[in-house]
């Protein structure tokens, strides 16, 4: 390197700098080139327009009737949209009826197909059963409606047929007829009722997220305080919960209800308040709440109702992260205990409380254990959790004994997830409805010799569009051609299939996606901390029920399944409950004291306890401790003294402790409230007592001074007496007798504090 530098006429340091600069340029050149090329590449990039049989998007807005019978006319309506760059000419919309599909797997496969495949897709009906458009410009859309007598569809034996709608036409680049777009769906075909029909149980959930806080008003009714008024929108006409009640009232379904929802709406039907910043405002949706409850009472009057534990606790979160935190399982038991009472009181029907419903029906041994510990002997699972291992050629009945007297009610995964997408678009809803019906018919055809009971458990909180799509599909089954409705209780008691799997999957098989959404262990630690504080607080109250009920419900809401996917909101709710409780606890406190000056051997030390609650407190003990009992003792020479506390709401009580001083100096005093079981309540208070005791020397000096004053008084008295005697002898009593000295004026007592502290009573 040195030789190279010498040749170039530069030193070693300059050479190294030159090499570094050169290397940087060499390394950086591709990066610079890439950065310069990127804008040019982006400028040249354009979204590639669909071509071939995906040029046109075909959307199916409706298939009516969804499951036709002989003599019907099938009407298929929808929209075609040209997504290509060229105008389509001689466009024609055709209906294509495919061959019969056997089995639900073939339905799944057919549903995934997108483009047109020559030779695989059937020929169009043609003839007069077409809709023609002279032109369909780029980006343009046209609505269509095709009506065909069912007899012209060429349907054969009962079963599921694939139904396709295609658009054919020409473009300037391909001036020949070709299929430019196709959409497929399914057509269930069942001419007559079957001798053996599949029993279908459809769960209809009424569940909402938490809206009620732990806070209540000070009135006798304890007016509840809502975090927001969002629940009113859900139960108002057209709202999600209003639609679920309206639609479900006309369906043969099993109602699955969270009692917390009923309790919340019932509270709204009376006086309630809503948080608004740092204050609350009066709620105004009493009429909406009353109407919704009335509709629901009528809807469930003759139906079957299953009550979930209060606030729908997350069983999987409890099993995986909460059960080892002491007290968690007791909350679950309490939530189960109040469920039946709440539903029966508000809806006037007796619900079944023997069912547990883990999220998405995913179970493992720990989830089953937690569910049964709360009193449930029937666990609603899902078939993608209890997967068949024996390769059964049919879907077995839902009820499965899984040991310990527990029954797993295994819902059908395909049917339960049929309406989980965005059903607000007509095309999505139509496809979902047709596929749901096709799957139920295919299931019924699996083994006609077996009578089976199938359970469907949709998503916990369906949207309005999802609920409407579900209802439309169920109405199609009203004629009971291949299915018949069955309640959940009967489905759980049906005779199990001996060949169906009963093995509960291991904990390691629990879905990772669901596990990632669970409440953290810290959530249950927070709940435990709140419960401990509540337990300590309620024992001092004269009306403990005023806090036990609202806070107990709030604790249950803290474990709700509805918090999944919302960890921040869940944490904020738990924090709000804990903060409000701590605020109430702090309303009973010791009033801070200034330093106390103790003059003399004995005195009383006052300590004041304040109760700003609206109810009385009792079962409290105030304990005062002298940190230096040699210098200052309490009550008969003890270092610690205590007195019972009982204070009415909104009052204070001053408690006095006898104290005796021995030696001058300062003494640290500690005051602390305790419950009767010796648990500290609130924070301790410290203050200082300044002892200024009169010693023997001081007393001797004072005594000497008093003696001098007495002697001086005697001398003055003697002198005055002698003077009076001399005057009388000289004047013979001519002057009146001199009056004695007036009484000294002592003045009022000084009201100012003695020294920097407060002077105690002696």
């Amino acid at each position: 390197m040195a030789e190279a530098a010498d040749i170039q006429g530069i030193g070693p340091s300059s050479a190294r700098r030159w090499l570094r600069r050169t290397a940087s340029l060499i390394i950086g050149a591709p990066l610079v080139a890439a950065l310069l090329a990127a804008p040019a590449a982006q400028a040249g990039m354009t979204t590639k327009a669909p071509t071939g049989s995906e040029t046109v998007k075909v959307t199916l807005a409706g298939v009516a009737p969804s499951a036709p019978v002989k003599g019907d006319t099938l009407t298929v309506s929808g929209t075609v949209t040209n997504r290509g760059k060229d105008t389509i000419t001689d466009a024609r919309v055709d209906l294509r009826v495919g061959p019969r599909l056997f089995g639900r797997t073939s339905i799944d496969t057919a549903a995934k197909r997108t483009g047109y495949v020559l030779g695989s897709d059937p020929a169009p009906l043609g003839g007069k059963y077409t809709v023609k458009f002279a032109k369909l410009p780029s980006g343009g859309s046209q609505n269509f409606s095709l009506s065909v007598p069912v007899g012209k569809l060429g349907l054969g034996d009962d079963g599921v047929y694939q139904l396709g709608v295609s658009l054919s036409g020409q473009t300037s680049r391909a001036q020949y007829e070709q299929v430019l777009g196709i959409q497929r769906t399914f057509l269930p075909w069942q001419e007559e009722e079957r001798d053996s029909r599949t029993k279908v149980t459809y769960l209809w959930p009424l569940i909402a997220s938490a809206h009620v806080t732990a806070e209540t008003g000070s009135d006798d009714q304890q007016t509840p305080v809502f975090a927001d008024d969002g629940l009113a929108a859900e139960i108002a006409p057209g709202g999600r919960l209003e639609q679920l009640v309206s639609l479900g009232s006309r369906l043969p379904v099993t109602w699955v209800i969270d009692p917390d929802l009923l309790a919340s709406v019932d509270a709204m039907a009376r006086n309630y308040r809503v948080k608004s910043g740092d204050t609350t405002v009066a709620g105004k949706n009493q009429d909406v709440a009353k109407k919704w409850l009335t509709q629901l009472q009528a809807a469930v009057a003759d139906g079957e109702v299953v009550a979930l534990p209060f606030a729908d606790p997350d069983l999987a979160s409890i099993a995986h992260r909460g059960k080892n935190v002491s007290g968690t399982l007791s909350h679950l038991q309490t939530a189960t205990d109040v469920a039946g009472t709440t539903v029966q009181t508000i809806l006037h029907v007796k619900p079944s409380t023997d069912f547990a419903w883990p999220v998405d029906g995913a179970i493992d041994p720990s989830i089953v254990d937690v569910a049964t510990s709360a009193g449930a002997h029937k666990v609603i699972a899902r078939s993608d959790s209890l997967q068949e291992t024996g390769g059964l050629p049919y879907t077995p009945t839902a009820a499965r004994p899984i040991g310990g007297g527990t029954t797993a009610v295994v819902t059908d995964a395909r049917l339960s997830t049929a309406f989980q997408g965005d059903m607000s678009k007509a095309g999505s809803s139509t496809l979902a409805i047709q596929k749901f019906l096709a799957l139920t018919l295919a299931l019924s055809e699996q083994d006609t010799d077996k009578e089976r009971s199938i359970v469907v458990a949709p998503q916990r909180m369906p949207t309005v569009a999802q609920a409407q799509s579900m209802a439309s599909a169920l109405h199609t089954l009203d004629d009971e051609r291949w299915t018949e409705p069955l309640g959940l209780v009967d489905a759980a008691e049906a005779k199990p299939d001996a060949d169906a799997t009963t093995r509960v999957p291991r904990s390691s098989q629990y879905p990772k996606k669901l596990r990632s959404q669970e409440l953290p262990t810290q959530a249950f630690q927070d709940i435990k901390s709140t419960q401990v504080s509540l337990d300590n607080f309620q024992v001092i109250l004269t009306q403990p029920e005023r806090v036990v009920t609202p806070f107990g419900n709030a604790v249950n809401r803290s474990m709700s399944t509805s918090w999944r996917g919302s960890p921040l909101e869940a944490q904020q709710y738990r924090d709000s409950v804990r903060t409000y409780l701590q605020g109430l606890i702090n309303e009973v406190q010791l009033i801070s004291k200034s330093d106390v000056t103790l003059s003399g051997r004995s005195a009383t030390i006052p300590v004041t306890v304040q109760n700003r609650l609206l109810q009385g407190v009792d079962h409290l003990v105030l304990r005062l401790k002298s940190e230096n009992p040699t210098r200052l003792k309490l009550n008969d020479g003890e270092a610690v003294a205590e007195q019972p506390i009982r204070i009415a709401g909104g009052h204070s009580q001053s408690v006095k402790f006898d104290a005796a001083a021995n030696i001058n100096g300062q003494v640290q005093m500690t005051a602390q409230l305790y419950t009767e079981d010796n648990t500290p309540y609130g924070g301790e208070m410290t203050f200082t007592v300044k002892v200024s005791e009169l010693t023997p020397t001081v007393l001797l000096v004072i005594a000497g001074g008093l003696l001098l004053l007495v002697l001086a008084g005697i001398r003055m008295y003697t002198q005055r007496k002698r003077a009076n005697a001399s005057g009388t002898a000289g004047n013979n009593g001519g002057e009146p007798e001199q009056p004695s000295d007036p009484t000294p004026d002592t003045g009022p007592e000084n009201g100012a504090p003695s020294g920097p502290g407060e002077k105690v009573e002696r």
Side-chain angles (χ1 to χ4, degrees):
M1 179 67 72
E3 292 175 353
D6 290 341
I7 292 173
Q8 296 298 326
I10 57 177
S13 297
S14 300
R16 285 193 292 270
R17 286 195 298 271
W18 178 82
L19 287 172
R20 284 196 297 267
R21 287 196 298 269
T22 304
S24 298
L25 289 171
I26 293 172
I27 295 171
L31 178 60
V32 173
L35 291 173
L36 292 173
Q42 291 174 359
M45 289 175 60
T46 56
T47 303
K48 187 176 181 181
T51 58
S53 60
E54 296 184 357
T55 302
V56 173
K57 180 179 181 180
V58 181
T59 302
L60 301 184
V63 175
S66 297
V69 295
K70 186 176 181 179
D72 283 342
T73 294
L74 180 70
T75 299
V76 181
S77 58
T79 304
V80 290
T81 303
N82 183 3
R83 300 185 296 177
K85 293 183 177 181
D86 302 322
T87 297
I88 299 173
T89 57
D90 298 326
R92 187 179 73 249
V93 178
D94 286 300
L95 200 63
R96 300 169 184 263
V97 181
R100 182 185 173 195
L101 299 172
F102 293 90
R104 302 208 293 175
T105 301
S106 63
I107 293 175
D108 292 337
T109 302
K112 296 176 182 178
R113 293 179 59 195
T114 54
Y116 172 80
V117 179
L118 183 64
S120 297
D121 283 299
L125 289 180
K128 63 180 181 179
Y129 306 117
T130 64
V131 174
K132 297 180 180 180
F133 306 112
K135 290 183 179 181
L136 187 61
S138 175
S141 297
Q142 289 283 356
N143 296 328
F144 68 86
S145 179
L146 288 166
S147 294
V148 183
V150 171
K152 300 294 184 180
L153 296 176
L155 304 176
D157 294 337
D158 293 348
V160 177
Y161 292 82
Q162 189 165 27
L163 186 68
V165 177
S166 64
L167 182 135
S168 303
Q170 303 180 19
T171 65
S172 58
R173 301 187 187 189
Q175 298 182 5
Y176 56 88
E177 184 175 283
Q178 57 181 311
V179 175
L180 297 173
I182 189 169
Q183 179 61 270
R184 300 177 181 84
T185 187
F186 305 98
L187 190 67
W189 171 244
Q190 180 78 37
E191 285 196 82
E192 298 177 356
E193 293 183 6
R194 300 173 62 91
D195 294 335
S196 176
R197 295 188 293 274
T198 300
K199 295 180 173 61
V200 175
T201 301
Y202 206 100
L203 307 188
W204 202 253
L206 286 182
I207 301 172
S209 57
H211 291 274
V212 183
T213 70
E215 186 174 348
T216 60
S218 59
D219 53 328
D220 292 339
Q221 292 73 32
Q222 286 190 266
T223 300
V225 177
F226 284 60
D228 54 62
D229 219 2
L231 185 57
E234 291 197 76
I235 63 175
R240 187 182 71 86
L241 292 169
E242 188 276 337
Q243 281 291 287
L244 279 167
V245 172
S246 177
L247 295 167
S249 65
R250 300 187 293 274
L251 296 169
V253 295
T254 294
W255 299 85
V256 180
I257 300 177
D258 174 9
D260 181 34
L261 170 61
L262 299 183
S264 299
V265 179
D266 187 58
M268 288 180 62
R270 303 179 179 87
N271 290 330
Y272 73 101
R273 299 191 69 81
V274 181
K275 279 188 170 295
S276 178
D278 295 332
T279 185
T280 63
V281 296
K284 301 178 180 179
N285 290 286
Q286 286 85 355
D287 291 341
V288 172
K290 291 176 183 177
K291 182 178 180 181
W292 186 82
L293 285 176
T294 300
Q295 291 176 330
L296 179 58
Q297 288 166 356
V300 303
D302 298 321
E304 184 177 72
V305 176
V306 170
L308 297 174
F310 193 92
D312 187 22
D314 191 335
L315 300 178
S317 293
I318 294 172
H320 297 154
R321 304 168 191 252
K323 68 178 181 180
N324 293 328
V325 178
S326 61
T328 300
L329 292 180
S330 64
H331 294 308
L332 180 58
Q333 181 63 59
T334 301
T336 301
D337 292 342
V338 302
T341 303
T342 303
V343 173
Q344 192 164 3
T345 300
I346 297 175
L347 296 184
H348 314 303
V349 296
K350 186 175 182 179
S352 172
T353 58
D354 200 22
F355 289 87
W357 188 15
V359 174
D360 287 357
I363 64 172
D364 61 23
S366 64
I367 295 175
V368 174
D369 289 344
V370 165
T372 54
S373 70
H377 297 94
K378 302 176 182 67
V379 181
I380 302 172
R382 204 165 73 183
S383 61
D384 51 359
S385 181
L386 255 72
Q387 294 182 359
E388 297 299 328
T389 56
L392 292 179
Y394 59 88
T395 301
T397 199
R400 318 272 182 90
I402 56 176
T406 303
T407 299
V409 181
V410 183
T411 67
D412 187 83
R414 284 185 175 95
L415 299 177
S416 297
T417 59
F419 300 100
Q420 285 189 350
D422 181 7
M423 298 292 112
S424 62
K425 299 177 181 178
S428 300
S429 176
T430 298
L431 295 180
I433 291 170
Q434 295 304 123
K435 185 178 179 182
F436 177 87
L437 297 172
L439 289 171
T440 59
L441 179 55
L443 187 150
S444 298
E445 292 182 326
Q446 288 173 349
D447 191 334
T448 56
D449 294 333
K450 289 185 177 293
E451 186 175 282
R452 287 164 297 165
S453 169
I454 304 301
V455 178
V456 182
Q459 53 274 32
R460 260 177 158 75
M461 291 191 278
T463 65
V464 171
Q466 289 170 344
Q468 291 171 342
S469 299
M470 288 155 50
S472 179
L474 291 177
H475 277 306
T476 303
L477 299 177
D478 283 344
D479 55 12
E480 300 183 11
R481 277 180 283 163
W482 63 85
T483 65
E484 62 179 291
L486 183 69
L488 181 61
V489 173
D490 290 337
E493 295 175 353
K495 182 180 179 180
D497 192 318
D499 297 324
T501 183
T502 57
R503 185 184 67 83
V504 176
R506 298 186 301 274
S507 179
S508 60
Q509 295 176 280
Y510 189 80
K512 293 182 179 178
K513 181 179 179 181
L514 293 181
R515 193 180 290 272
S516 67
Q517 296 175 346
E518 292 175 350
L519 292 169
T521 302
Q522 184 59 49
F524 297 99
Q525 296 285 6
D526 293 344
I527 291 170
K528 176 184 176 182
S529 174
T530 299
Q531 186 62 47
V532 169
S533 298
L534 179 60
D535 291 341
N536 292 337
F537 182 45
Q538 65 170 307
V539 298
I540 74 165
L541 302 176
T542 56
Q543 295 176 284
E545 68 281 356
R546 288 182 66 89
V547 298
V548 171
T549 300
F551 277 101
N553 291 340
V555 165
N556 287 332
R557 294 184 189 107
S558 299
M559 302 190 300
S560 176
T561 302
S562 65
W563 298 121
R564 282 191 171 242
S566 304
L568 178 59
E569 291 83 353
Q571 181 68 59
Q572 290 173 338
Y573 185 83
R574 295 194 301 273
D575 289 346
S576 69
V577 175
R578 186 167 58 250
T579 300
Y580 181 61
L581 176 59
Q582 192 58 51
L584 292 179
I585 293 172
N586 292 341
E587 297 287 34
V588 180
Q589 60 181 341
L590 297 170
I591 301 299
S592 297
K593 289 180 66 65
S594 58
D595 292 344
V596 175
T597 299
L598 185 63
S599 299
R601 287 184 176 274
S602 62
T604 58
I605 301 176
V607 178
T608 303
V609 184
Q610 184 180 52
N611 174 21
R612 293 187 296 187
L613 295 172
L614 296 176
Q615 64 169 296
V617 296
D618 197 356
H619 310 296
L620 271 176
V621 173
L622 175 58
R623 190 172 298 168
L624 185 63
K625 179 181 180 182
S626 171
E627 302 296 340
N628 189 346
T630 302
R631 180 169 293 167
L632 181 67
K633 295 181 180 180
L634 300 169
N635 291 13
D636 300 325
E638 300 294 333
V640 178
E642 62 181 37
Q643 293 197 41
I645 300 297
R646 181 183 178 89
I647 314 174
H651 289 73
S652 298
Q653 178 181 348
S654 182
V655 184
K656 297 178 181 180
F657 293 87
D658 293 333
N662 295 322
I663 305 174
N664 276 357
Q666 295 186 347
V667 179
Q668 186 83 6
M669 307 295 290
T670 301
Q672 171 72 62
L673 289 170
Y674 288 85
T675 57
E676 289 185 340
D677 62 355
N678 206 36
T679 300
Y681 183 91
E684 64 180 19
M685 181 190 70
T686 61
F687 59 96
T688 301
V689 173
K690 298 177 181 179
V691 179
S692 181
E693 185 181 1
L694 300 180
T695 64
T697 302
V698 174
L699 292 174
L700 182 60
V701 172
I702 294 173
L706 290 173
L707 180 59
L708 291 175
L709 289 173
V710 170
L711 292 174
I714 292 173
R715 182 181 179 185
M716 291 175 63
Y717 174 77
T718 302
Q719 290 176 347
R720 181 173 296 178
K721 186 174 183 180
R722 288 174 180 173
N724 289 339
S726 299
T728 303
N731 296 315
N732 294 321
E735 290 185 8
E737 187 177 60
Q738 296 290 326
S740 63
D741 293 335
T743 304
D745 186 4
T746 60
E749 293 186 7
N750 188 357
S754 59
E758 55 179 311
K759 189 174 182 179
V760 301
E761 299 178 18
R762 290 188 291 167

